[in-house]
Amino acid sequence: ILTLLCPHLRYSEVAFHQDHIHPFSGFDDIRFAEMGVPEVEWPEWRDSRDRVPNLQLLEGLRNISKNASPLHKWLGDMSPAERRTFIANNYFPEEVGLEFKNFLRFYRQRKELLRGELRKILAMSEQPWPLPQRTRQRTSRKRNYDQVARRQR
C-alpha cells in the first residue's frame, strides 16, 4: 500500500525502511499516563501503532538517523521548504499538531487522506459496486423465501 501511495520514491535506486511516524517506543503505559490519555483509550493507541496510517517509507539512512525521535522534533530539524514537501508527500493532515499527544486525531485524519488517495489511484468510487445480476436474483429469492417462511409461522 505504501508503495502505491508514494510513486515518487526511487525504489530501484534506494533502500527504504518502513518507519513508524510516531515512534513505536512511545506507546507505553507510562507515556500514556504522563500525557493524560484515558486508560480506556490505551488499547486503541497500541492497536493503531503498527497500522498503515502510522507508517511511512523512509530512506534507510534517514530512518536510522530518525530512530525514535518524536515526529515534531524530527521535522523541526528540517528547513521549512523541506518540511512542507515532506508533509505533503507523506499525506500528513494539515490541521493536526504533530506532537504525540495528538496521535489519534493524526491517525484518523491521515487514514481518511490515504483512503481518498487510494481511491484515486485505483479509480474507485465511494459508491458500493453494483452486485452482479446473479447475486441480486439470489438475494431477492432468499428475501422472498424468508417472507413466506415468516407468514407460515
Side-chain angles (χ1 to χ4, degrees):
I1 290 178
L2 293 171
T3 55
L4 284 172
L5 292 164
C6 302
H8 59 281
L9 298 178
R10 304 175 324 255
Y11 299 109
S12 63
E13 301 170 23
V14 179
F16 286 90
H17 293 185
Q18 181 177 287
D19 172 61
H20 287 84
I21 296 171
H22 286 282
F24 184 94
S25 61
F27 292 82
D28 64 48
D29 296 353
I30 294 169
R31 190 80 176 277
F32 294 154
E34 288 172 352
M35 291 188 314
V37 175
E39 258 188 82
V40 296
E41 290 183 11
W42 295 5
E44 183 180 4
W45 281 62
R46 277 194 210 91
D47 186 51
S48 302
R49 171 186 59 202
D50 298 323
R51 295 182 182 260
V52 172
N54 190 42
L55 299 175
Q56 64 185 348
L57 294 175
L58 275 185
E59 291 181 17
L61 293 175
R62 197 171 202 183
N63 187 39
I64 291 167
S65 72
K66 179 182 179 261
N67 197 12
S69 299
L71 176 62
H72 71 283
K73 287 184 181 176
W74 183 72
L75 287 173
D77 292 339
M78 296 180 184
S79 71
E82 184 182 16
R83 186 172 40 255
R84 276 191 304 276
T85 301
F86 187 86
I87 286 170
N89 285 344
N90 286 283
Y91 308 97
F92 286 10
E94 294 177 17
E95 344 40 75
V96 180
L98 300 175
E99 297 82 12
F100 189 54
K101 67 182 180 181
N102 300 316
F103 172 72
L104 278 184
R105 248 182 98 211
F106 173 90
Y107 177 91
R108 290 173 183 145
Q109 289 189 20
R110 186 166 189 257
K111 182 178 178 179
E112 289 309 310
L113 290 171
L114 296 175
R115 268 191 184 152
E117 190 62 24
L118 283 170
R119 280 191 183 104
K120 285 185 217 169
I121 291 168
L122 301 172
M124 294 173 62
S125 74
E126 293 194 30
Q127 300 300 317
W129 292 358
L131 290 172
Q133 184 65 32
R134 191 171 175 193
T135 305
R136 275 187 284 202
Q137 289 171 345
R138 201 175 5 213
T139 304
S140 174
R141 273 188 256 140
K142 169 108 174 75
R143 199 175 314 122
N144 290 341
Y145 173 80
D146 290 345
Q147 289 171 350
V148 169
R150 266 189 248 122
R151 278 190 230 133
Q152 290 177 352
R153 286 187 216 158

